């Protein structure tokens, strides 16, 4: 198994997926309503917790939403905390 992580947006499942090699280890679930992406759930496999994977996943999801012109509704507490800690994304809050 590779130690390399990748994050991809899976529009068919309405989520961002974090993979470690071929293993799915995390996800951010979202809903899109107009120009707002509601990020309502973040999950990282507990076996991989404590390694910063959640922050890496959320950083990618937030940057991707910004790049595509979407505002973010952070109903997931983890996403809300991430945005609070990164004031450069304050203008993305819906």
């Amino acid at each position: 198994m590779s130690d390399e992580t990748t994050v991809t947006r899976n529009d068919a499942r309405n989520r961002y997926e974090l993979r470690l090699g071929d293993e799915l280890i995390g996800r951010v679930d979202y809903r899109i309503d107009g120009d707002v992406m509601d990020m309502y759930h973040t999950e990282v496999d507990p076996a991989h917790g404590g390694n910063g994977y959640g922050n890496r996943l959320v950083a990618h999801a937030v940057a991707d939403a910004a790049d595509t012109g979407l505002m973010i509704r952070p109903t997931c507490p983890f996403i809300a905390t991430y945005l609070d800690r990164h004031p450069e994304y304050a203008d993305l809050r819906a």
Side-chain angles (χ1 to χ4, degrees), residues 15 17 27 40 56 59 62 64 67 70 91:
R15 67 186 190 187
E17 298 176 337
R27 70 179 202 252
Y40 64 90
R56 192 174 312 169
V62 168
D64 183 66
D67 289 346
L70 294 168
D91 60 336

Side-chain angles (χ1 to χ4, degrees), residues 20-37:
L20 180 60
D22 293 332
E23 180 183 6
L24 178 64
I25 64 166
R27 70 179 202 252
V28 170
D29 297 315
Y30 64 83
R31 291 180 276 268
I32 296 178
D33 183 16
D35 64 350
V36 175
M37 179 181 278

Side-chain angles (χ1 to χ4, degrees), residues 11 14 16-17 27-28 48 50 69 75-77 79 81 89-90 92:
D11 287 325
N14 292 326
Y16 290 89
E17 298 176 337
R27 70 179 202 252
V28 170
H48 297 283
T75 54
C76 169
I79 302 282
T81 299
Y89 293 121
L92 292 180

Side-chain angles (χ1 to χ4, degrees), residues 47-60:
H48 297 283
N51 293 307
Y53 291 135
N55 282 319
R56 192 174 312 169
L57 171 60
V58 171
H60 180 92

